[in-house]
Amino acid sequence: MTKDQYKESIKLHELRTPLFGIQSTLEYILDQLDQLDQDMIQELLGKVLLSCKRMDNSLIKLQRWATLDKGSDEPESYLSCQKLLEKKIGSKPNFKLGVIRDFKLVFREDQLSFLLDELVENASKFHSSKEPIQVILDVNQLIILNHQNNLNPTQVFHPEPFFQINRPIREQQGLGLGLAICQAYARQNNTELTFQISKGIFRAVLKSC
């Protein structure tokens, strides 16, 4: 399989899998409707809803990827990165925020919201330790540290669209677009977003230029 064929298979797999789950579950409910109690129906419909959300998330990212070069709103000035993060992770018990030095950030609102949500989601999704995910504000940079066991012990990680690491084991990775979109948004807003893993710690750094 060529690299282009592999990437195409990722797209088809990530879109068709939740759709197949929705279809098969609804067919089962209709076929067994007279024999299913309300609790079972609610459980099955909950699985349908999760599949719908997964597909919707993939389609939204595909749209964002397709419109990266199109115009966006003017950047806004955020005086406190700390306040932004407190809104994103304040209610999440598996995150710990440490502030060495708060800083100002100039960024397009919609793009910044997507970027922060994606970094938080990625850290939560692949975190492999009972220790909290560390979020640190230092001089002009936001650092997110979490344990991940699906990457090589030490490497610089470059997000690649429609690519999954250890795909047979970790099929829940999605389209592989989220972090690639985040890097593109960072460049468009005169910031730098890099990723590195060392000794099992995945490090995402957003640096304000």
Side-chain angles (χ1 to χ4, degrees):
M1 181 184 294
T2 67
K3 191 172 184 178
D4 287 342
Q5 289 173 330
Y6 174 79
K7 289 186 175 183
E8 191 65 25
S9 74
I10 294 292
K11 286 187 280 186
L12 293 174
H13 174 81
E14 288 301 320
L15 293 176
R16 189 175 184 277
T17 298
L19 180 59
F20 177 77
I22 293 168
Q23 179 181 333
S24 59
T25 304
L26 291 178
E27 287 176 347
Y28 176 78
I29 292 174
L30 289 174
D31 185 58
Q32 303 291 326
L33 190 58
D34 293 337
Q35 302 178 41
L36 296 174
D37 59 32
Q38 185 174 358
D39 289 341
M40 179 58 70
I41 292 175
Q42 287 181 337
E43 181 180 345
L44 291 171
L45 289 178
K47 295 181 183 298
V48 169
L49 182 58
L50 286 175
S51 292
C52 288
K53 289 180 177 180
R54 176 179 170 182
M55 177 177 285
D56 183 55
N57 186 51
S58 293
L59 291 172
I60 288 172
K61 288 179 180 177
L62 279 171
Q63 182 184 33
R64 284 183 177 272
W65 183 251
T67 57
L68 278 178
D69 296 330
K70 293 189 177 181
S72 183
D73 297 334
E74 289 298 314
E76 294 191 20
S77 180
Y78 299 91
L79 298 179
S80 173
C81 195
Q82 179 180 350
K83 290 182 179 180
L84 291 173
L85 288 168
E86 286 173 347
K87 291 180 180 179
K88 294 291 183 183
I89 66 174
S91 60
K92 298 181 183 297
N94 56 330
F95 281 81
K96 182 179 179 181
L97 176 61
V99 181
I100 298 174
R101 183 174 178 180
D102 197 3
F103 62 94
K104 174 182 176 181
L105 193 61
V106 178
F107 222 101
R108 291 172 177 85
E109 181 179 10
D110 174 67
Q111 294 179 347
L112 180 60
S113 180
F114 176 88
L115 184 149
L116 293 178
D117 285 341
E118 192 66 24
L119 292 181
V120 168
E121 179 186 351
N122 182 79
S124 298
K125 192 175 184 180
F126 298 113
H127 190 52
S128 57
S129 170
K130 294 181 179 180
E131 295 296 321
I133 297 167
Q134 301 290 325
V135 181
I136 302 167
L137 289 176
D138 205 341
V139 181
N140 290 332
Q141 59 182 355
L142 159 65
I143 305 167
I144 299 180
L145 305 171
N146 72 295
H147 292 265
Q148 291 195 24
N149 57 14
N150 60 316
L151 297 173
N152 294 331
T154 300
Q155 70 178 84
V156 176
F157 175 65
H158 299 288
E160 186 174 352
F162 311 115
F163 181 79
Q164 294 178 345
I165 297 171
N166 295 333
R167 181 185 178 193
I169 301 173
R170 307 183 69 88
E171 287 197 353
Q172 77 275 28
Q173 293 178 89
L175 289 167
L177 281 177
L179 296 184
I181 293 172
C182 288
Q183 276 196 327
Y185 283 168
R187 289 192 296 269
Q188 290 176 6
N189 290 273
N190 298 315
T191 59
E192 181 184 26
L193 179 60
T194 58
F195 306 97
Q196 187 172 19
I197 188 165
S198 178
K199 298 180 180 179
I201 304 295
F202 187 82
R203 178 184 179 98
V205 181
L206 178 67
K207 187 173 182 179
S208 178
C209 300

